[in-house]
């Protein structure tokens, strides 16, 4: 998996990769020639009392050293550049893939795991790539070249190499074999720590409110302890590898000096040749050490490659995400003069009718469906409200329209076309959504609003804020439209966040507007003012809303009553009071609460 992933990513960097290999060969060749020149200086210069030879060969050694340093610098720069570009491409691919995935597919991996795969796992691949380009590319040339040159110095003494190389390879094999399962477990443990930490940061007020700090601290400590223990085991194996290698290296050096000394005494070998042989033995061992170090990181990189490829191999049920906007308005916003009260500008097409035809939805492996045989029609210029108990499938039904989820069976049509046949980006350009959870992004008030219409003017922004009854509090901010907004809208009240999300949705001229319990944080007076102000802007569009309050939906053209994922009744408020016991119970319970002093 790692090899295949690296091969694919390096395809567009072939020239740079070949340049790295060439530079590494030059660097290693220079490194291999230096001991031979040094041996000649000793034997032909120092021992023969020839200063000219010493100076001449010394000059060539300086030239080789400079060339070697330049090649190493070039190879290091190119290697780091290619590795960073690999990481950049992987993060981009993962981001695009996650954007195209449905909620079900994202839930399969989990948010924490996807974050880890996009950050930590990609970083491990980058690190491995750097090591491959700086170490592993040079190791074979250094090792093979060192063996050849060592044999040339003395064939008999080269028997030491036959003993130490298999021993070092065996050590490397045993360590790497043990590291692979440890690294695979370690990446899963990192996911767990990330997940717990994310939950505790997001839910900090809930933890404090229920005085669960000790419990959560113990929960995090246990996850942290398991990760630490796993990392300690792998770190000990990697740390223990160096002493074992050094023992072999030192023993081999002693053996070379011992046997080489006897050969010198017998006249079978010169002093310079022994010096060169020792240098080549060290270079052979260094090449093996470099290969072992890189290969010791390979198991972690291989596990990360598997995890990344698992995400990339998913065929998104929702198709390819829409390309980035180029500054143009969505297709639904026809370039016509803005209608009064329609801040997004432009008339809306008549193709925003919604039709559910025997729609079922169930999560994979679930015992029962979330939605069962849902059929209804919503035509442009009307408002359809959905009400039901918690868990009845209201939000799931809405999520089928912009294809945040795909229906298991049946058809969901927008403008008479099955939404599954439309590119996800094109479909969503015709829909404006106010989600159940009011989420704002870090930036400014203006940047958050312009998510609905990137080219909107400030006048249009103020008009949308006016519709959402948010103009007054935004003007009260120090910088108005340019006031800073923290991630998630921290620092703003729930009602303020909800009104900004409504303004963001109203800024877009769409065929279909979806409000998923989007007035729950507003008081009755503000909610009534918002709905009254929005009515002219929405008169030509199809509006579908989920609400829990009866007053919010009383004026809807049609009300759908969901119960356990089934559509049990539909009609106007007056009709449902007569025909639906479920709706009547909800209405009576709310009216009874409202009448209490």
């Amino acid at each position: 998996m790692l090899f295949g992933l690296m091969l694919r990513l390096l395809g567009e960097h072939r020239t740079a990769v070949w340049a790295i290999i060439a530079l590494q060969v030059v660097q290693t060749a220079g490194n291999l020639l230096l001991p031979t020149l040094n041996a000649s200086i000793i034997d032909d210069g120092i021992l023969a009392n020839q200063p000219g030879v010493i100076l001449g060969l010394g000059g060539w050694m300086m030239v080789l050293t400079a060339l070697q340093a330049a090649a190493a610098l070039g190879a290091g720069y190119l290697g780091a550049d290619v590795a960073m570009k690999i990481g950049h491409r992987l993060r981009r691919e993962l981001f695009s893939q996650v954007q195209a995935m449905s909620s079900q597919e994202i839930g399969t991996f989990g948010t924490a795991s996807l974050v880890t795969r996009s950050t930590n796992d990609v970083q491990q691949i980058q690190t491995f790539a750097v090591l491959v380009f700086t170490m592993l590319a040079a190791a074979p040339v250094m090792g093979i070249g060192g063996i050849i040159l060592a044999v040339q110095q003395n064939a008999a003494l080269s028997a030491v190499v036959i003993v130490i190389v298999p021993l070092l390879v065996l050590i490397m094999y045993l360590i790497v074999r043990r590291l692979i399962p440890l690294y695979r477990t370690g990446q899963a443990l990192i996911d767990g720590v990330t997940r717990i930490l994310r939950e505790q940061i997001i839910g900090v007020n809930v933890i404090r409110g229920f005085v669960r700090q000790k419990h959560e601290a113990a929960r995090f400590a246990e996850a942290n302890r398991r990760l630490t223990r796993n990392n300690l085991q792998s770190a000990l194996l990697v740390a223990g590898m160096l002493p074992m290698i050094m023992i072999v290296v030192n023993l081999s050096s002693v053996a070379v000096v011992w046997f080489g000394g006897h050969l010198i005494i017998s006249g079978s070998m010169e002093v310079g040749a022994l010096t060169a042989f020792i240098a080549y033995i060290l270079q052979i061992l260094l090449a093996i050490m470099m290969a072992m170090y890189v290969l010791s990181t390979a198991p972690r990189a291989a596990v990360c490659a598997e995890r990344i490829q698992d995400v990339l191999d998913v065929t998104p049920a929702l198709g390819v995400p829409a390309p980035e906007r180029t500054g143009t308005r969505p297709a639904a916003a026809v370039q016509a003069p803005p209608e009064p009260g329609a801040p997004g500008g432009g008339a809306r097409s008549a193709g925003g009718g919604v039709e559910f035809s025997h729609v079922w939805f169930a999560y994979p492996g679930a015992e029962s469906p979330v939605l069962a045989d849902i059929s209804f029609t919503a035509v442009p210029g009307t408002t359809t409200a959905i009400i039901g108990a918690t868990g009845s499938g209201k939000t799931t039904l809405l999520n089928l329209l912009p294809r945040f989820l795909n229906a298991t069976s049946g058809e969901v049509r927008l403008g008479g076309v099955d939404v599954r046949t439309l590119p996800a980006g094109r479909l969503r350009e015709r829909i404006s959504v106010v989600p159940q959870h009011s989420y704002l992004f870090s930036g400014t008030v203006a940047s958050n609003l312009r998510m609905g219409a990137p080219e909107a003017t400030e006048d249009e922004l103020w008009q949308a804020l006016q519709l959402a009854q948010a103009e007054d509090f935004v003007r009260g901010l120090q910088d108005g439209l340019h006031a800073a907004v923290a991630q998630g809208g921290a620092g703003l009240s729930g009602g303020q966040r909800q009104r900004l999300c409504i303004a963001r949705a109203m800024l877009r001229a769409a065929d279909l507007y979806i409000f998923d319990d989007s007035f729950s944080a507003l008081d009755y007076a503000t909610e009534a003012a918002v709905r009254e102000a929005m009515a002219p802007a929405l008169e030509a569009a199809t509006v579908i809303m989920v609400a829990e309050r009866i007053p919010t939906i009383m004026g809807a053209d049609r009300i759908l009553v969901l119960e356990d994922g089934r559509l049990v009744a539909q009609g106007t408020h007056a009709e449902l009071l007569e025909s639906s016991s479920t709706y009547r119970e909800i209405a009576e319970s709310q009216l009874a609460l409202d009448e209490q002093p």
Side-chain angles (χ1 to χ4, degrees), residues 403 406 411-414 416-424 426-427:
R403 291 184 64 203
N406 269 339
E411 288 187 358
V412 179
R413 302 187 188 96
L414 177 63
V417 180
D418 191 331
V419 296
R420 287 172 295 190
T421 66
L422 297 172
R426 294 293 185 186
L427 169 67

Side-chain angles (χ1 to χ4, degrees), residues 134-487:
T134 56
M135 292 187 180
L136 194 61
V141 179
M142 183 179 294
I144 296 171
I147 291 173
I148 294 172
L149 292 173
V151 172
Q152 286 182 351
Q153 296 296 328
N154 192 289
L157 199 57
S158 299
V160 176
V161 177
I162 299 175
V163 176
I164 61 172
V165 170
L167 182 58
L168 289 174
V169 171
L170 177 62
I171 294 172
M172 178 176 63
Y173 168 76
L174 293 175
I175 291 176
V176 170
R177 181 182 178 183
R178 181 71 183 98
L179 282 173
I180 291 176
L182 285 175
Y183 283 147
R184 182 173 286 111
T185 302
Q187 293 305 116
L189 291 173
I190 291 174
D191 285 348
V193 170
T194 304
R195 181 176 60 256
I196 292 173
L197 190 59
R198 180 176 180 273
E199 290 175 351
Q200 292 177 343
I201 292 174
I202 294 175
V204 61
N205 288 335
V206 177
I207 295 170
R208 291 170 179 169
F210 287 95
V211 196
R212 299 287 289 175
Q213 291 94 326
K214 290 184 178 179
H215 170 79
E216 292 299 323
R219 182 169 165 241
F220 179 80
E222 174 60 22
N224 193 26
R225 183 186 62 79
R226 291 197 299 267
L227 177 60
T228 301
R229 183 172 58 190
N230 177 275
N231 288 345
L232 183 60
Q233 291 176 343
S234 58
L236 287 175
L237 282 172
V238 175
M241 180 174 61
L242 182 60
M244 296 173 68
I245 293 174
M246 292 309 301
I247 290 174
V248 175
V249 169
N250 291 332
L251 289 176
S252 62
S253 298
V254 170
V256 168
V257 172
W258 173 264
F259 292 110
H262 284 79
L263 292 174
I264 291 173
I265 293 173
S266 65
S268 302
M269 192 175 190
E270 296 180 348
V271 175
L274 177 61
T275 304
F277 189 91
I278 293 174
Y280 287 130
I281 288 293
L282 292 177
Q283 287 193 17
I284 295 169
L285 297 177
L286 178 61
I288 295 174
M289 289 173 62
M290 290 166 58
M292 290 180 67
Y293 180 74
V294 175
L295 293 176
S296 69
T297 65
R300 185 187 291 272
V303 171
C304 293
E306 290 176 6
R307 287 159 49 87
I308 290 171
Q309 197 62 50
D310 285 344
V311 178
L312 297 179
D313 284 343
V314 172
T315 301
L318 306 184
V320 180
E324 291 186 358
R325 300 184 186 275
T326 57
T328 59
R329 292 293 183 90
V334 179
Q335 299 301 317
E339 297 177 0
R348 297 171 177 86
S349 69
V354 171
E355 183 181 355
F356 276 62
S357 178
H358 303 288
V359 172
W360 292 69
F361 176 80
Y363 288 102
E367 295 181 357
S368 59
V370 179
L371 297 174
D373 199 22
I374 303 293
S375 296
F376 71 90
T377 301
V379 299
T382 63
T383 297
T384 301
I386 304 172
I387 194 169
T390 301
S392 59
K394 303 184 295 295
T395 296
T396 301
L397 186 149
L398 293 185
N399 284 339
L400 297 177
L401 285 164
R403 291 184 64 203
F404 297 153
L405 298 170
N406 269 339
T408 306
S409 63
E411 288 187 358
V412 179
R413 302 187 188 96
L414 177 63
V417 180
D418 191 331
V419 296
R420 287 172 295 190
T421 66
L422 297 172
R426 294 293 185 186
L427 169 67
R428 291 165 189 165
E429 285 178 345
R430 300 175 59 188
I431 301 173
S432 195
V433 181
V434 183
Q436 185 175 23
H437 302 290
S438 304
Y439 191 85
L440 299 174
F441 296 84
S442 57
T444 64
V445 172
S447 68
N448 273 278
L449 295 179
R450 285 195 172 104
M451 291 189 71
E455 299 300 314
T457 65
E458 289 201 0
D459 288 341
E460 290 175 326
L461 298 185
W462 285 117
Q463 193 175 3
L465 289 169
Q466 186 178 16
L467 294 182
Q469 305 301 301
E471 181 183 11
D472 291 342
F473 92 77
V474 173
R475 290 193 184 278
L477 299 175
Q478 184 174 357
D479 297 316
L481 286 173
H482 304 289
V485 176
Q487 181 182 1

Side-chain angles (χ1 to χ4, degrees), residues 26 44 78 85 108 248 293 299 304 322 459 461 496 530 544 565 569:
V26 171
D44 302 330
L78 288 176
K85 288 178 179 177
T108 300
V248 175
Y293 180 74
C304 293
D459 288 341
L461 298 185
Q496 289 173 334
V530 170
I544 298 181

Side-chain angles (χ1 to χ4, degrees), residues 561-584:
V561 183
L562 291 185
E563 186 174 7
D564 296 328
R566 294 184 176 275
L567 181 57
V568 296
Q570 56 180 308
T572 64
H573 171 70
E575 292 170 348
L576 290 174
L577 285 176
E578 296 294 331
S579 62
S580 173
S581 59
T582 302
Y583 184 81
R584 188 165 53 251

